Amino acid sequence: MQSLIEIQQQLLPDLLVVMRKRYLILRQVMLSDMIGRRTLAASLDMTERVLRAETDFLKAQELLHIDAAGMRITEAGKRLMEKMEPFYKTMFGLSELEERIRKHFGLKQVVIVTGDADESPHTKRELGRAGCAVLSKAMQKDDVIAVTGGSTLAQVANQLTSHTPLKGNWFVPARGGLGESLDYQANTIVSTMAKRTGAQYRMLHVPDHLGEEAYTSLMQEPNVREIVEVIRKARIVIHGIGDAMVMARRRRVDAAVVDALKAEGALAESFGYYFDQGGAVVHKMLTVGLRIEDIMETEVVIAIAGGRSKGEAIAAVMRFGHDDVLVTDEAAALEIAAIIDKEEQTA
């Protein structure tokens, strides 16, 4: 396939431009379920006149269905998209980018989806779909899967399915709730994952951020101690990654701690820990659930995060060195590649 693509790039470069345009149209329609022409044109930064010509062609090929309500992809279109995905990644350099990031951080696998989650909710949904595929492949019989909160992990939960009920598997929250939107809390996400796969789940009804006295008291409760022991034995951890300052604000961290985080060079936050540029832990929240030593012993650790703004944060957590799989988007991957370039130039 690689040699054929190289020949096409040299002899028929316009063909690849047209193919990419039509692929992106079909992908955006598929992610949107149903979408109007004006909305689609805006999301693809394309004029309505150009878009109309392309969608009319795709309709004639029975890849799109168009009516007064809008456009939706046909079953034939979905099958074509599935066949095109690996070809698209190779054709536009995403496979090469995946391999470069994988080798640089010593990961087992990197999966990159097109787009920028900062700009498009459809890209975040695609991150969820890709995360589902990775998690489904990793899961085994009677597994315990620990899951953190956040909007990206919620997308994973909403799209996770299983052809056979996972009756012996358990989904558990990696830590307590953030006090944010209920939809994005780990308890809600594990409940959704379990219900969509026929698995079981446990909840952890404690705040995410605790004082030392409250932490000590809670850890003496038999029910809390029991669920924490289950969480800390998880074979799989699936987690998001946040910008350190953004996450500090969401957790309503006091000003003194924020100043300390800045002074320590905190760039990223994940599973309650803050990391600097080199991947070192510079601050940890006192939280019930997974500890850093548990992450270091976990068999499969999957990170799912995207958006250009998170490039530095993702790179920082990858340098920590205990993730096995990274699922990200094109915008974040390009930022990570730029960081790698700078490192190699100064090495």
Side-chain angles (χ1 to χ4, degrees):
M1 182 189 292
Q2 184 66 43
S3 60
L4 176 60
I5 291 169
E6 288 172 355
I7 291 169
Q8 287 177 323
Q9 286 173 333
Q10 291 179 44
L11 295 179
L12 297 164
D14 291 348
L15 177 63
L16 296 184
V17 172
V18 173
M19 189 181 293
R20 184 176 194 272
K21 185 192 302 178
R22 291 174 181 169
Y23 175 91
L24 292 175
I25 290 170
L26 287 171
R27 174 182 170 274
Q28 196 78 324
V29 174
M30 183 172 69
L31 291 175
S32 304
D33 293 327
M34 175 74 78
I35 190 170
R37 182 175 282 116
R38 183 172 296 177
T39 303
L40 181 58
S43 66
L44 294 170
D45 195 21
M46 192 181 296
T47 67
E48 288 190 54
R49 182 180 63 80
V50 170
L51 180 64
R52 184 179 294 107
E54 296 295 346
T55 53
D56 285 348
F57 171 84
L58 295 170
K59 180 183 178 182
Q61 297 297 310
E62 298 184 345
L63 301 172
L64 282 184
H65 177 80
I66 304 175
D67 57 26
M71 294 176 242
R72 63 177 182 271
I73 196 167
T74 64
E75 288 302 316
K78 290 178 183 177
R79 289 194 297 271
L80 179 65
M81 291 295 286
E82 190 174 329
K83 290 176 183 176
M84 276 191 70
E85 186 170 1
F87 177 67
Y88 177 89
K89 283 191 170 187
T90 302
M91 184 168 53
F92 296 104
L94 293 189
S95 294
E96 185 179 334
L97 188 56
E98 287 173 342
E99 181 61 12
R100 187 178 185 208
I101 293 171
R102 186 197 70 77
K103 288 179 70 174
H104 185 80
F105 293 110
L107 301 167
K108 291 180 180 176
Q109 184 184 11
V110 173
V111 178
I112 300 172
V113 304
T114 56
D116 183 348
D118 287 344
E119 303 292 334
S120 169
H122 306 308
T123 299
K124 185 167 283 191
R125 185 176 173 185
E126 188 72 352
L127 277 172
R129 185 193 65 79
C132 286
V134 170
L135 178 58
S136 297
K137 187 176 179 180
M139 280 192 297
Q140 299 176 4
K141 185 179 178 182
D142 300 329
D143 264 341
V144 175
I145 303 101
V147 185
T148 65
S151 58
T152 305
L153 271 296
Q155 286 290 347
V156 177
N158 290 335
Q159 299 182 68
L160 189 63
T161 57
S162 177
H163 297 299
T164 56
L166 305 175
K167 294 179 181 178
N169 291 46
W170 288 85
F171 287 94
V172 295
R175 59 178 198 246
L178 265 177
E180 59 177 344
S181 169
L182 184 63
D183 292 342
Y184 300 154
Q185 289 184 19
N187 279 333
T188 304
I189 291 169
V190 299
S191 170
T192 302
M193 286 180 163
K195 289 170 184 176
R196 291 185 64 85
T197 59
Q200 302 177 75
Y201 67 97
R202 299 287 298 271
M203 289 189 172
L204 184 61
H205 295 292
V206 298
D208 185 65
H209 185 201
L210 297 167
E212 194 164 337
E213 187 177 338
Y215 174 83
T216 302
S217 176
L218 275 170
M219 289 303 290
Q220 289 174 354
E221 291 289 331
N223 289 341
V224 172
R225 200 163 58 243
E226 186 220 343
I227 178 61
V228 168
E229 285 175 4
V230 174
I231 292 167
R232 291 176 177 174
K233 290 177 182 176
R235 191 182 75 87
I236 299 174
V237 172
I238 181 167
H239 68 91
I241 296 171
D243 174 273
M245 293 304 113
V246 171
M247 295 305 295
R249 285 196 298 271
R250 278 170 58 183
R251 288 202 169 93
R252 298 180 178 85
V253 171
D254 62 58
V257 174
V258 171
D259 289 342
L261 287 171
K262 289 178 181 177
E264 291 163 344
L267 281 180
E269 186 279 339
S270 196
F271 32 83
Y273 291 77
Y274 289 83
F275 301 83
D276 67 12
Q277 187 178 27
V281 175
V282 295
H283 185 80
K284 64 179 181 179
M285 309 294 289
L286 199 55
T287 180
V288 173
L290 278 182
R291 302 161 300 184
I292 205 81
E293 54 264 40
D294 302 315
I295 296 291
M296 294 165 74
E297 295 296 324
T298 301
E299 189 174 330
V300 182
V301 183
I302 304 166
I304 306 180
R308 187 178 304 278
S309 65
K310 285 190 180 178
E312 277 193 319
I314 294 168
V317 175
M318 292 306 102
R319 287 194 195 95
F320 171 61
H322 292 282
D323 278 274
D324 299 290
V325 182
L326 170 64
V327 179
T328 190
D329 62 23
E330 192 173 3
L334 289 170
E335 286 295 304
I336 294 168
I339 292 167
I340 294 172
D341 285 341
K342 288 180 182 177
E343 289 179 0
E344 291 176 347
Q345 288 168 9
T346 56

